[in-house]
Amino acid sequence: MSKTNPGNFFEDFSIGQVIEHATPRTVTEGDRALYGALYPTRFAVPSSAEFAASVGLTASGKGHPVEELIAFHIAFGKTVPDISLNAVANLGYAECRFHQPVVPGDTLRTKSEVIGLKQNSNGKSGVVYVRSTATNQRGEVALDWCRWVMVHKRDVDAAAPEVVVPELAPVVAPENLVIPDGLDFASYDFGAAGETFRFDDYAVGEKIDHVDGVTLTDPEHMLATRLWQNTAKVHFNTEARPDGNRLIYGGHVISMARALSFNGLANAQLIAAINGGSHVAPAFAGDTIYAWSEVLDKAVISESIGALRLRLVATKGRDESTTLRNAEGKYAAGVLLDLDVWALVPR
Amino acid sequence: MSKTNPGNFFEDFSIGQVIEHATPRTVTEGDRALYGALYPTRFAVPSSAEFAASVGLTASGKGHPVEELIAFHIAFGKTVPDISLNAVANLGYAECRFHQPVVPGDTLRTKSEVIGLKQNSNGKSGVVYVRSTATNQRGEVALDWCRWVMVHKRDVDAAAPEVVVPELAPVVAPENLVIPDGLDFASYDFGAAGETFRFDDYAVGEKIDHVDGVTLTDPEHMLATRLWQNTAKVHFNTEARPDGNRLIYGGHVISMARALSFNGLANAQLIAAINGGSHVAPAFAGDTIYAWSEVLDKAVISESIGALRLRLVATKGRDESTTLRNAEGKYAAGVLLDLDVWALVPR
Amino acid sequence: MSKTNPGNFFEDFSIGQVIEHATPRTVTEGDRALYGALYPTRFAVPSSAEFAASVGLTASGKGHPVEELIAFHIAFGKTVPDISLNAVANLGYAECRFHQPVVPGDTLRTKSEVIGLKQNSNGKSGVVYVRSTATNQRGEVALDWCRWVMVHKRDVDAAAPEVVVPELAPVVAPENLVIPDGLDFASYDFGAAGETFRFDDYAVGEKIDHVDGVTLTDPEHMLATRLWQNTAKVHFNTEARPDGNRLIYGGHVISMARALSFNGLANAQLIAAINGGSHVAPAFAGDTIYAWSEVLDKAVISESIGALRLRLVATKGRDESTTLRNAEGKYAAGVLLDLDVWALVPR
């Protein structure tokens, strides 16, 4: 019997099945430093323990939060060996909420529940919907999210399961956002944060070209992807694809776009939710990544805190026209990522 | 007089000589994070402080152990400027034992004793045998090992020393393995560790193809090699070799193979000893590294702990046939590393 | 109105203006590890907490200092978005003094005062002189320095400001060097430090060829430059320059040269001041960097501490002749960096 992990195939999943993913992972200050080396991030909360304290995030002895996307990538990476090792495609995300900030010393583990199954008409694959939850060493939820992936069948003759397609919210309702304990932007230091713009300075429909670009390299995305213990072979092995290119982990593009968005959204300090997202096209070493954002919605959270719903778009080559779709309604050439998030900003 | 280090030549060594190597080095959480970015490691003990605690490794206030190979590379790197700066070849290792786990905050220093000398018949070089010992800031042994290297003579007319060839154990006897204080696999969480296989599931003679491959790059191996303060110029300087290639530090291939072996040996949590090892062929950027293992022996250590003696082989290109040697008894094409280790697994 | 930072132009600066730079940054053990992965540094003080304690640097509960250049790069990086985003050239440094060592947990912020302005005769740009000061979370000065940059005008018709050119010391006087609290080399361990040479072993006029070379790569300098939150686009974006090359951040060459200088200057443990420096030529991936030093001056600081004034030169390709200038008095071919520092050594 082979001892290596073959991953799960479509017929291995059943509604209600709960999978406890392996390799719990302790977050450290080393992760923060590497994240800052890999992405041009400058958001003041993860950059400065003093700033984080000034907005109430280290009250009651808690540590200095790391970027939400560090927690997201680690928690997500844990699901890969069980959920998407035999995936044809990552189809979508929904209802991703960040609960309590993750700090160095926290150990994250992830479990997933199968909440939907739908075999494709070709009989060779199917769509698996899971709700995944990452918890820390005290059992508190750090984040949870849904995603759906298309997975190969091992045996095309295996019977199709009953079709269950979950109803997923197209956007997390503002009242369902989790605001970190203690967060208060009342004495927010705009000078330290880097920009003067607050909640009221952003209008629904406004687009922001983040201007800066970064050309991707293979060593950098491999360092990042390994750091999250995501071991999908296409990211590391030039012999795994006919073209000899390493496919860049979609999360690398998410983090790059988020970091680039500092220029214009420096006060979008915390990501509260990911409403959805599409990896529109693959990215490879040599591509130069730019980003633009669009304000999709706004919501008042408290006296000092507002939430901006932002479309964050990563492109290959700069698109100053910030065009999402072409005349035929398809994604415009160059669009790599179309992400929909809620971010918390000072009012 | 030149102030730069010329290294030692064969005639500079004498039997019984003790060399205290320079640049003690404090291990940090940054080392753990970088190791995880450089190698696809997922072993639960170094990945999770909670898991390490659950197997007794953080009892009495000790910290969260890092991978044994971090300690090995750091301790080994210290010996390079004194032992192998003028080496023609690294000929072998033996009797490497890991004593107490290394945790962030530990400061390692290394000393070596010359235990063997044998001039080559050509009179131009000779073999130097050293036993090296790395200790922490409390003077406790972290690891010790023997290695032998072929070193140039400065002056071919220097007299040959008396031949002393030490007797080195071909394999560390199981009763000589050092089991970390407190280690107990009685309540081992196989789900968290990632595989269900325990001591009894492995048979002597069994081979495991670890399946996954990683294509090497120059920036990554240089980051790794510098991290261990190993400054041998062939790893960093394209002008140091006629072919313009940087030679990849053999330890980089060891760590890559060990990390790849997770897939099939996820429960081989701790390396207790390195019995021997050969760097069969050099590795360069662009090579895709795969690994396979063979169970060479087994030993019961305690009620909850077993030891597997494993041959860990790294290859350039995947060798599904897991062939070590060709018909002529020579290493098969593609074999880069042949390492012999004892690993501790739950019973 | 665009929300992205356009940077300041020459006419935006005025004498006496104080700019508080954004994004305070907490230093961590992750920074130390990454620095050691990026540069071949082995200086015993930042390498070993035990060694740092043995020379008095962790007295009164202070932590383990990181390399001065980590603090320099972080503090400098903060000034880029406000001072040099529209710079034509970085013209010089002066009067850079390191005050108290920076330790993990310290949060650095930087402010700059405009101390000089001189419009160029072409009317299109001008030189801006600033004195920048980086402080920690207790308001203590970590380092301060002057630099002057040539900055574009936004509007060539803007009126020229009154010419003010500050008087800057060509070299920090030894009595103005700040010696870290508690520093005492009386029980300095030369074996651990790696070389036997002390203050009296260095003569004014002596040159040291540091011998070793490192070939640069793009991923490595980008990791470094991002780590310091220096976001100047020419370092990251192949579309930002006509030749498609990424220009390597000058500080990367400084750190590489400093690390290479260990071989011959292992006891130049601490940098106390940077008297001046010129980035003579740009560096690109593929260049192999070597370094040599010249002892320019010496000063006794205390019974156990001496200061060496060193010219640290980085070259592209090794220059064994250690020639700074050619017959015409211009920098010799291959010279990339000419740095003038004070370093503290044991007497």
Side-chain angles (χ1 to χ4, degrees):
Chain A
M1 189 195 78
S2 169
K3 287 197 163 66
T4 51
N5 175 26
N8 288 310
F9 290 85
F10 181 67
E11 61 265 43
D12 297 324
F13 295 98
S14 58
I15 295 293
Q17 180 184 4
V18 173
I19 302 172
E20 304 265 1
H21 304 296
T23 64
R25 164 84 153 66
T26 304
V27 175
T28 76
E29 286 294 353
D31 295 311
R32 189 197 310 277
L34 268 161
Y35 196 86
L38 290 161
Y39 308 107
T41 180
R42 289 180 286 161
F43 294 101
V45 164
S47 177
S48 165
E50 303 302 307
F51 192 94
S54 77
V55 297
L57 286 174
T58 61
S60 46
K62 282 197 181 165
H64 178 199
V66 297
E67 304 247 349
E68 296 82 10
L69 290 176
I70 289 181
F72 178 78
H73 295 315
I74 289 176
F76 181 92
K78 309 249 141 295
T79 71
V80 169
D82 298 314
I83 305 297
S84 48
L85 209 63
N86 301 306
V88 191
N90 195 44
L91 299 175
Y93 307 102
E95 300 186 6
C96 175
R97 294 190 304 163
F98 295 91
H99 294 244
Q100 290 305 315
V102 171
V103 302
D106 280 356
T107 299
L108 296 179
R109 45 171 77 211
T110 308
K111 67 176 174 189
S112 297
E113 181 180 353
V114 179
I115 58 171
L117 288 172
K118 182 168 183 293
Q119 183 167 309
N120 288 328
S121 53
N122 65 13
K124 294 182 181 164
S125 57
V127 180
V128 180
Y129 297 78
V130 292
R131 180 179 300 276
S132 300
T133 306
T135 51
N136 66 19
Q137 69 282 7
R138 291 180 299 275
E140 299 160 353
V141 175
L143 67 152
D144 59 359
W145 71 96
C146 296
R147 75 162 167 144
W148 51 108
V149 290
M150 190 184 301
V151 179
H152 284 295
K153 288 177 75 174
R154 183 189 294 108
D155 171 10
V156 293
D157 297 327
E162 190 187 350
V163 174
V164 177
V165 175
E167 267 192 59
L168 299 174
V171 58
V172 176
E175 59 270 24
N176 290 336
L177 296 175
V178 183
I179 308 305
D181 292 347
L183 184 69
D184 185 348
F185 285 149
S187 43
Y188 190 93
D189 182 344
F190 289 86
E195 291 180 355
T196 59
F197 312 110
R198 51 180 82 208
F199 185 70
D200 283 345
D201 296 317
Y202 292 93
V204 173
E206 177 178 358
K207 289 182 172 183
I208 303 160
D209 173 3
H210 299 302
V211 177
D212 305 308
V214 171
T215 309
L216 303 179
T217 73
D218 277 323
E220 290 173 299
H221 76 78
M222 290 197 288
L223 290 169
T225 309
R226 275 192 215 105
L227 191 60
W228 321 128
Q229 298 180 323
N230 179 333
T231 59
K233 73 180 81 162
V234 289
H235 306 318
F236 300 103
N237 187 339
T238 58
E239 300 178 351
R241 286 169 49 97
D243 66 2
N245 285 325
R246 297 162 178 102
L247 183 69
I248 292 180
Y249 163 50
H252 191 60
V253 177
I254 292 178
S255 279
M256 194 62 82
R258 163 68 176 159
L260 290 171
S261 78
F262 178 91
N263 200 351
L265 283 167
N267 295 319
Q269 286 289 348
L270 302 173
I271 300 177
I274 300 177
N275 298 305
S278 294
H279 296 289
V280 177
F284 299 99
D287 290 352
T288 300
I289 305 298
Y290 297 81
W292 57 266
S293 293
E294 179 182 0
V295 181
L296 297 176
D297 199 358
K298 298 176 63 175
V300 169
I301 300 294
S302 75
E303 203 169 332
S304 71
I305 304 170
L308 298 178
R309 184 179 163 205
L310 299 163
R311 180 193 301 284
L312 175 58
V313 177
T315 58
K316 174 180 166 178
R318 185 171 170 201
D319 172 23
E320 295 184 61
S321 67
T322 63
T323 303
L324 188 68
R325 294 182 183 276
N326 59 24
E328 293 88 56
K330 299 207 170 141
Y331 278 110
V335 172
L336 299 179
L337 171 77
D338 177 15
L339 199 72
D340 179 340
V341 305
W342 279 111
L344 303 181
V345 298
R347 291 183 63 200
Chain B
M1 190 195 74
S2 168
K3 286 196 164 67
T4 51
N5 176 27
N8 288 311
F9 290 86
F10 182 68
E11 63 265 44
D12 297 324
F13 295 99
S14 58
I15 295 292
Q17 179 185 6
V18 174
I19 302 171
E20 305 265 1
H21 304 297
T23 63
R25 164 83 153 66
T26 304
V27 175
T28 75
E29 286 294 352
D31 295 310
R32 190 198 310 278
L34 267 161
Y35 196 85
L38 290 161
Y39 308 108
T41 180
R42 288 180 287 161
F43 294 100
V45 164
S47 177
S48 165
E50 302 301 306
F51 193 95
S54 77
V55 297
L57 286 174
T58 60
S60 47
K62 281 197 181 165
H64 178 199
V66 298
E67 306 246 349
E68 297 82 10
L69 290 176
I70 289 180
F72 178 79
H73 295 314
I74 290 176
F76 181 93
K78 311 249 140 296
T79 71
V80 169
D82 298 315
I83 305 297
S84 49
L85 210 63
N86 301 305
V88 191
N90 195 46
L91 298 175
Y93 306 101
E95 300 185 7
C96 174
R97 294 189 304 164
F98 295 90
H99 295 245
Q100 290 305 315
V102 171
V103 302
D106 279 357
T107 299
L108 295 178
R109 45 170 77 211
T110 307
K111 68 176 175 190
S112 297
E113 181 180 352
V114 178
I115 58 171
L117 289 171
K118 183 169 183 293
Q119 183 166 310
N120 288 328
S121 53
N122 65 13
K124 294 182 180 163
S125 56
V127 179
V128 180
Y129 297 78
V130 292
R131 180 180 300 277
S132 300
T133 306
T135 51
N136 67 19
Q137 68 282 8
R138 290 179 301 275
E140 300 160 352
V141 175
L143 67 151
D144 58 0
W145 72 96
C146 297
R147 75 162 166 144
W148 51 108
V149 291
M150 190 184 301
V151 180
H152 284 295
K153 289 178 74 174
R154 183 190 294 107
D155 172 10
V156 292
D157 297 328
E162 190 187 350
V163 174
V164 177
V165 174
E167 266 191 61
L168 299 174
V171 57
V172 176
E175 59 270 25
N176 291 335
L177 295 176
V178 183
I179 308 305
D181 292 346
L183 185 69
D184 184 349
F185 286 149
S187 44
Y188 191 92
D189 182 345
F190 288 87
E195 291 181 356
T196 60
F197 312 110
R198 52 180 80 208
F199 185 69
D200 284 345
D201 295 318
Y202 291 93
V204 173
E206 178 179 357
K207 289 183 172 182
I208 302 160
D209 173 3
H210 299 302
V211 177
D212 305 308
V214 172
T215 308
L216 304 179
T217 72
D218 278 323
E220 289 173 300
H221 76 78
M222 290 197 288
L223 290 169
T225 308
R226 276 192 214 105
L227 192 61
W228 320 129
Q229 298 181 322
N230 179 333
T231 57
K233 75 180 81 160
V234 289
H235 306 317
F236 301 102
N237 187 338
T238 58
E239 300 178 351
R241 287 169 48 97
D243 66 2
N245 285 326
R246 297 162 177 103
L247 184 69
I248 291 180
Y249 163 50
H252 191 61
V253 177
I254 292 178
S255 279
M256 194 62 82
R258 162 69 175 159
L260 290 171
S261 78
F262 177 90
N263 200 351
L265 284 166
N267 295 321
Q269 285 290 348
L270 301 173
I271 300 178
I274 300 177
N275 298 306
S278 294
H279 296 289
V280 177
F284 298 99
D287 291 350
T288 300
I289 305 298
Y290 296 80
W292 58 265
S293 294
E294 178 182 359
V295 181
L296 297 177
D297 201 359
K298 297 175 64 175
V300 169
I301 300 295
S302 74
E303 203 169 332
S304 71
I305 305 170
L308 297 179
R309 184 180 163 204
L310 299 164
R311 180 194 302 284
L312 174 59
V313 177
T315 58
K316 174 180 168 178
R318 186 173 170 198
D319 171 24
E320 293 185 61
S321 66
T322 62
T323 302
L324 188 67
R325 294 180 183 276
N326 59 23
E328 294 88 55
K330 299 205 170 143
Y331 278 109
V335 172
L336 299 179
L337 171 76
D338 177 15
L339 198 72
D340 179 338
V341 305
W342 279 111
L344 304 181
V345 299
R347 289 186 64 202
Chain C
M1 188 194 76
S2 168
K3 286 195 164 68
T4 51
N5 175 26
N8 288 310
F9 290 85
F10 181 68
E11 62 265 43
D12 297 324
F13 295 98
S14 58
I15 294 293
Q17 179 184 8
V18 174
I19 302 171
E20 305 265 1
H21 305 296
T23 65
R25 164 81 154 68
T26 303
V27 175
T28 75
E29 286 295 352
D31 295 311
R32 189 197 310 278
L34 267 161
Y35 196 85
L38 290 161
Y39 307 108
T41 180
R42 289 180 286 161
F43 293 100
V45 164
S47 178
S48 165
E50 302 301 307
F51 192 95
S54 77
V55 297
L57 286 174
T58 61
S60 47
K62 281 195 180 166
H64 178 199
V66 297
E67 305 247 348
E68 296 82 11
L69 291 176
I70 289 180
F72 178 79
H73 295 314
I74 290 177
F76 181 93
K78 309 249 141 296
T79 71
V80 169
D82 297 316
I83 306 297
S84 49
L85 210 64
N86 301 306
V88 191
N90 194 45
L91 298 174
Y93 306 102
E95 300 186 7
C96 174
R97 294 189 305 163
F98 295 89
H99 294 244
Q100 290 305 314
V102 171
V103 302
D106 279 356
T107 299
L108 296 178
R109 45 171 78 210
T110 308
K111 68 177 174 188
S112 297
E113 181 179 353
V114 179
I115 59 171
L117 289 171
K118 182 168 183 294
Q119 182 166 309
N120 287 329
S121 53
N122 65 12
K124 294 181 180 165
S125 57
V127 180
V128 180
Y129 296 78
V130 293
R131 180 180 301 275
S132 300
T133 306
T135 51
N136 66 19
Q137 69 282 7
R138 290 179 301 275
E140 300 159 352
V141 174
L143 67 151
D144 58 359
W145 71 96
C146 297
R147 75 162 167 144
W148 51 108
V149 291
M150 191 183 300
V151 179
H152 284 294
K153 289 178 74 174
R154 182 190 294 106
D155 171 8
V156 292
D157 297 327
E162 190 187 350
V163 174
V164 177
V165 174
E167 266 191 59
L168 298 174
V171 57
V172 176
E175 60 270 24
N176 291 335
L177 295 176
V178 183
I179 309 305
D181 292 346
L183 185 69
D184 185 348
F185 286 148
S187 44
Y188 190 92
D189 181 345
F190 288 86
E195 291 180 356
T196 60
F197 312 109
R198 53 180 79 210
F199 184 69
D200 283 346
D201 296 317
Y202 292 93
V204 172
E206 178 179 358
K207 288 182 172 184
I208 303 160
D209 173 2
H210 300 301
V211 178
D212 305 308
V214 172
T215 309
L216 303 180
T217 72
D218 277 323
E220 289 172 299
H221 75 78
M222 290 197 289
L223 290 169
T225 308
R226 276 191 213 104
L227 191 61
W228 321 129
Q229 298 180 321
N230 180 333
T231 58
K233 73 180 83 161
V234 288
H235 305 318
F236 300 103
N237 187 338
T238 58
E239 300 178 350
R241 286 170 48 97
D243 66 3
N245 285 326
R246 296 163 179 101
L247 183 70
I248 291 180
Y249 163 50
H252 191 60
V253 177
I254 292 178
S255 280
M256 194 62 82
R258 163 68 175 160
L260 289 171
S261 79
F262 177 91
N263 200 351
L265 283 167
N267 296 319
Q269 286 290 348
L270 301 173
I271 300 178
I274 300 177
N275 298 306
S278 294
H279 296 289
V280 176
F284 299 99
D287 290 351
T288 300
I289 305 297
Y290 297 80
W292 58 266
S293 294
E294 179 182 359
V295 181
L296 296 177
D297 200 358
K298 297 176 63 175
V300 169
I301 300 294
S302 74
E303 204 169 332
S304 70
I305 304 170
L308 298 179
R309 185 180 163 205
L310 299 164
R311 180 193 301 284
L312 174 60
V313 177
T315 58
K316 174 180 166 177
R318 185 173 170 199
D319 171 24
E320 293 184 61
S321 67
T322 63
T323 303
L324 188 68
R325 294 181 183 276
N326 58 24
E328 293 89 54
K330 299 207 170 142
Y331 278 110
V335 173
L336 299 178
L337 171 76
D338 177 13
L339 199 72
D340 180 337
V341 305
W342 277 111
L344 303 181
V345 299
R347 291 185 63 202

